[in-house]
Amino acid sequence: MKSMRMAMAGMLVALTAVGAAIKVPAIIGTVALDAFPALLAAVLLGGSGGAIVASIGHLISAMIGGMPLGPLHFLIAGEMALLAFVFGFLFRRGKRWQAGMLFVLGNAFAAPLPFIFLMGKAFYLAIVPSLFIGSVLNTAIAYIAIPRLARFVEPYFSKTGEGQ
């Protein structure tokens, strides 16, 4: 089962690279569709799997985009990991609406808060609308894909209770 979970995580990390290449224009830089594979991982593999996919996915997206915020991308990767973990925790406990709302609001409004102190209020106000749109798109794609993928993945993980 561990090899199956690792293979699934690897495929979802690869999907983040594809999503990272799909950029949504933003006021400052771009927002990518790299978060939805992490949300899929958080539900299908658990919060830890989602956190790993989220952090690696963000770093891949940042590299594709030229690392415009430099080492601050490691902070963002940590924030993404936390958001994916909490999303998976809530979603798997039947709080699906709350999971989605928390991810969107957390990614769009809470995650960029440290940048008010690091880069100023103008940066925060400029990035929030793009992050909100990107968060909604990533969450919507995840909500469309999760039930479809769960049907195929669940039988493999439910044999030992790992996917529950």
Side-chain angles (χ1 to χ4, degrees):
M1 275 302 143
K2 283 188 180 187
S3 60
M4 178 74 80
R5 295 173 76 77
M6 288 177 62
M8 175 70 74
M11 287 189 296
L12 291 169
V13 167
L15 190 56
T16 63
V18 173
I22 302 170
K23 301 290 190 181
V24 177
I27 295 169
I28 297 177
T30 58
V31 176
L33 297 179
D34 61 342
F36 80 88
L39 300 179
L40 296 175
V43 173
L44 300 175
L45 301 174
S48 298
I52 291 167
V53 172
S55 59
I56 293 170
H58 174 75
L59 294 174
I60 290 171
S61 181
M63 284 190 273
I64 289 173
M67 297 287 279
L69 297 175
L72 294 175
H73 282 291
F74 291 102
L75 169 66
I76 299 167
E79 292 173 334
M80 293 300 296
L82 178 65
L83 287 169
F85 183 87
V86 173
F87 177 88
F89 178 82
L90 292 172
F91 194 97
R92 290 167 63 116
R93 281 159 183 74
K95 298 180 179 189
R96 295 175 178 177
W97 175 252
Q98 294 92 330
M101 289 302 294
L102 183 84
F103 180 79
V104 169
L105 297 176
N107 193 41
F109 298 103
L113 280 174
F115 292 94
I116 289 176
F117 307 106
L118 298 169
M119 302 183 81
K121 193 176 184 179
F123 178 84
Y124 177 84
L125 294 173
I127 198 72
V128 163
S130 302
L131 285 175
F132 181 75
I133 292 168
S135 298
V136 169
L137 288 172
N138 276 291
T139 305
I141 293 168
Y143 272 83
I144 292 168
I146 287 168
R148 288 159 178 80
L149 290 175
R151 280 186 271 163
F152 296 109
V153 175
E154 192 67 29
Y156 295 105
F157 295 146
S158 64
K159 289 178 185 173
T160 61
E162 289 184 74
Q164 311 236 344

